[in-house]
Amino acid sequence: MRGATVYYLKILLAICMIHEMAGGLIRNTTDAAYKKYLSLKSLPFEDCGSLYKVNYLEIESCSTLPCSMARNAIIKVTVLFDDNGNGVTFLKHEVRWVFNYVKTQAAISPDPCDGDHGCIMSASDGKTYWANIFVNESLPVMRGSMLWESKDECNQNLICFEVPVLITL
């Protein structure tokens, strides 16, 4: 009798292990599929050395490249990234406009993005943060790019992307 009980417990344990492995596989497959879906919905961008994978980028009122941005506008930028479970709670932005290889500092708010501003949040699929960029009226009316870097407290570059822009009147 004892031998039969041990045998059935081993079978039950094996079934539980198989179920757990399958559940993890399904969960990982679902997570990967969702991140792929997000990347397809994202505004296209060029990664310029991110430590963490940017899964999704949204720039308010921009659905095609180059992003048309009017002078004196305030534009919300939203980023969803995977922080590999590291619990990122602070981002310092270094954002520059690039026109004919000349870089000009952009005004960002809030900066830094931390727990005091509600701009960085945990999501089921990583972290999401938002910030507003001011399109200064002194920018030239022309094509260029927006180079966006987000760094941690130690000045380590966590996120970096570049997007073509068109500054308009």
Side-chain angles (χ1 to χ4, degrees):
M1 175 95 166
R2 182 168 185 245
T5 303
V6 170
Y7 175 76
Y8 287 118
L9 284 175
K10 286 182 179 179
I11 290 176
L12 181 60
L13 179 61
I15 291 170
C16 289
M17 289 174 62
I18 291 169
H19 182 266
E20 181 61 32
M21 288 173 26
L25 179 63
I26 292 168
R27 199 169 27 258
N28 289 342
T29 302
T30 303
D31 188 45
Y34 180 67
K35 287 180 180 177
K36 180 65 176 173
Y37 170 76
L38 280 176
S39 70
L40 294 172
K41 300 276 296 170
S42 175
L43 185 67
F45 62 90
E46 182 178 330
D47 187 282
C48 47
S50 298
L51 177 64
Y52 297 133
K53 180 169 177 20
V54 175
N55 296 315
Y56 179 78
L57 171 64
E58 178 182 25
I59 299 176
E60 188 176 64
S61 73
C62 178
S63 57
T64 60
L65 297 179
C67 289
S68 184
M69 299 181 173
R71 288 174 165 177
N72 281 328
I74 296 174
I75 298 173
K76 184 176 183 178
V77 176
T78 304
V79 177
L80 178 67
F81 67 99
D82 190 350
D83 73 348
N84 302 329
N86 289 328
V88 172
T89 59
F90 177 95
L91 292 171
K92 172 77 177 144
H93 304 296
E94 287 186 19
V95 183
R96 293 176 293 287
W97 302 108
V98 183
F99 300 102
N100 294 330
Y101 304 103
V102 177
K103 296 178 180 176
T104 305
Q105 194 69 31
I108 304 296
S109 175
D111 191 32
C113 175
D114 56 21
D116 295 339
H117 298 99
C119 51
I120 189 166
M121 296 162 275
S122 291
S124 61
D125 43 7
K127 293 280 186 169
T128 183
Y129 78 88
W130 63 267
N132 292 318
I133 185 166
F134 176 65
V135 185
N136 192 312
E137 73 176 38
S138 66
L139 290 175
V141 176
M142 66 184 300
R143 287 179 186 260
S145 64
M146 178 179 68
L147 178 62
W148 192 292
E149 294 176 290
S150 297
K151 301 180 179 211
D152 65 10
E153 298 96 332
C154 300
N155 211 33
Q156 183 178 17
N157 202 5
L158 303 180
I159 297 168
C160 183
F161 59 85
E162 190 166 8
V163 177
V165 297
L166 172 62
I167 304 300
T168 62
L169 292 176

